[in-house]
Amino acid sequence: MAKEISKVTEPMRKTSVWTIIFFIVGVFSYISGFFWLTNGVWHDVLLKIGDVLVIGVVLGFITNASEFLGIFKKELENIVYGKEFLANQKDVSGIWETVSKEMFKNKFPGIHHDFLKALKSYFPNNEVSYYEDYEMHSRMEWFDKSRSLVKVVDEVSFKLIAESDGKFVYPLKHWNKVAENGFFKSELTEFSVNGEVRNLTSRVSVDDEMRCEEWKVEMEGEKVYNVHYITTKILNLNEDNVKGFRAKYIVKDFRLTFDCPKDISAQFVSRGTIDKFLDTTKMQTENHIEKRYNGIILPKQGFVISLQQKKQ
């Protein structure tokens, strides 16, 4: 701010001496014209000189002052709305609420507080900020058709954007529906971070036929991590006929390819996203799906692929 103000004050200091001289000469011209040379040509000349010098000095001062105040106001706004100032405020939520009310023009005053609460629930509150350039390539084939068992290979890659380069534990979780005494097999066949292969051990828990397999990955030293992994699952299509993705964190840009046998029908449905998933090929069929999503996918949003074995 001091640098910007000096741009105005420095020329003002350099011209202040001449400004004073011009002002004194202008006042002297007025006095001479009004009291000494009250008639004739010199009377008019002195009054004109007085007008030019005095009015010029006043206008110059007003112009410089206006420019100075404009820069001061601009820099003050930069301070008030700057992240350094906001970072030290204890009531940032209150400031956000006031700003958002003005931004939304008070369109829903009755539910404004609840609306902001819902928005805040989407924002990251841990080490992971968001995913970027998320790609999923999924391939399904029959493992044992007589028992309705299918083999699904998922290859996933994305950029994990971290809040800082500090150490944290990233939880990778997969959910599947498995009936009691049902057949299910899962294997993490490959996992790497920034090209470095990691050997991980999973922890499995089951709650009301929902099987959760979790791998914990320690990360440290970067703010951007390139994650790549491949999973292989064998499951019963009669027990779990839904293939889906539900975001745990915010996702920026998503790409999907899915293939399954010709005697299985696959129907793609988006799950709560603001915009539509777009087709990336004209060759969309019941057995081949290619989609992309340009933009932000919020937590708990994503897609569902409903699978149904065709009757012979």
Side-chain angles (χ1 to χ4, degrees):
M1 179 177 179
K3 182 179 180 181
E4 296 295 330
I5 294 177
S6 66
K7 293 180 182 179
V8 177
T9 57
E10 185 63 25
M12 290 174 66
R13 286 194 294 269
K14 290 181 179 179
T15 59
S16 59
V17 176
W18 286 105
T19 300
I20 294 172
I21 293 174
F22 289 153
F23 186 76
I24 292 174
V25 172
V27 172
F28 182 77
S29 298
Y30 276 141
I31 294 174
S32 300
F34 280 115
F35 297 103
W36 296 337
L37 301 173
T38 57
N39 294 305
V41 176
W42 281 105
H43 168 77
D44 295 333
V45 170
L46 289 172
L47 292 183
K48 291 295 183 182
I49 292 174
D51 288 342
V52 171
L53 294 178
V54 174
I55 294 175
V57 168
V58 173
L59 290 177
F61 175 79
I62 292 174
T63 301
N64 285 333
S66 176
E67 185 177 355
F68 175 82
L69 290 175
I71 292 176
F72 182 80
K73 179 182 178 182
K74 178 182 177 182
E75 293 301 316
L76 185 61
E77 289 175 348
N78 290 339
I79 292 174
V80 172
Y81 297 112
K83 60 182 180 180
E84 293 85 1
F85 175 81
L86 293 175
N88 295 321
Q89 301 306 303
K90 296 181 179 179
D91 188 29
V92 175
S93 297
I95 297 174
W96 178 38
E97 184 169 348
T98 302
V99 172
S100 63
K101 281 182 179 179
E102 179 60 27
M103 184 173 65
F104 299 139
K105 305 299 181 183
N106 287 302
K107 290 185 177 179
F108 31 78
I111 60 171
H112 185 79
H113 181 73
D114 295 330
F115 181 72
L116 290 179
K117 184 179 179 181
L119 284 179
K120 287 174 65 177
S121 67
Y122 286 117
F123 295 156
N125 55 6
N126 49 29
E127 293 85 356
V128 179
S129 294
Y130 62 95
Y131 296 148
E132 187 173 328
D133 297 333
Y134 199 109
E135 291 195 15
M136 176 184 291
H137 303 279
S138 184
R139 185 178 71 255
M140 176 182 289
E141 60 187 40
W142 285 113
F143 179 77
D144 187 343
K145 190 173 181 180
S146 63
R147 299 164 59 193
S148 297
L149 297 180
V150 292
K151 177 182 176 181
V152 183
V153 178
D154 290 330
E155 182 174 0
V156 176
S157 62
F158 57 87
K159 293 178 183 178
L160 187 153
I161 312 300
E163 182 180 356
S164 68
D165 58 1
K167 184 177 181 179
F168 68 97
V169 176
Y170 166 66
L172 175 65
K173 293 183 179 182
H174 282 180
W175 296 84
N176 287 93
K177 185 177 181 181
V178 181
E180 186 177 358
N181 300 321
F183 183 89
F184 180 85
K185 184 178 179 180
S186 175
E187 181 183 4
L188 182 66
T189 54
E190 182 181 325
F191 190 96
S192 65
V193 179
N194 293 340
E196 177 188 348
V197 178
R198 303 282 187 92
N199 295 318
L200 306 176
T201 303
S202 66
R203 184 175 66 89
V204 178
S205 60
V206 179
D207 183 15
D208 192 24
E209 295 189 350
M210 292 303 297
R211 181 183 187 274
C212 176
E213 189 166 13
E214 179 181 8
W215 299 267
K216 291 187 177 181
V217 188
E218 290 189 357
M219 298 189 179
E220 185 179 14
E222 304 287 345
K223 287 188 176 182
V224 179
Y225 298 90
N226 292 298
V227 179
H228 175 265
Y229 67 86
I230 299 175
T231 60
T232 302
K233 298 178 183 179
I234 299 174
L235 52 88
N236 192 316
L237 199 60
N238 293 329
E239 298 172 358
D240 188 0
N241 66 337
V242 173
K243 169 71 178 175
F245 171 81
R246 190 174 87 156
K248 179 177 177 60
Y249 304 105
I250 293 172
V251 179
K252 182 181 182 299
D253 298 336
F254 191 102
R255 188 179 181 91
L256 166 73
T257 61
F258 176 82
D259 290 284
C260 64
K262 292 183 178 181
D263 52 355
I264 295 178
S265 174
Q267 299 295 326
F268 180 95
V269 180
S270 61
R271 174 190 277 172
T273 54
I274 298 173
D275 295 319
K276 293 182 179 180
F277 281 83
L278 303 176
D279 295 337
T280 58
T281 177
K282 295 181 179 180
M283 303 300 294
Q284 301 282 347
T285 67
E286 290 184 325
N287 316 110
H288 179 75
I289 297 173
E290 290 188 28
K291 297 283 186 178
R292 77 172 188 271
Y293 190 92
N294 300 325
I296 300 299
I297 299 176
L298 297 173
K300 300 181 181 180
Q301 295 181 349
F303 65 84
V304 171
I305 299 176
S306 177
L307 303 166
Q308 186 69 43
Q309 183 177 355
K310 296 179 181 179
K311 295 180 179 180
Q312 299 298 326

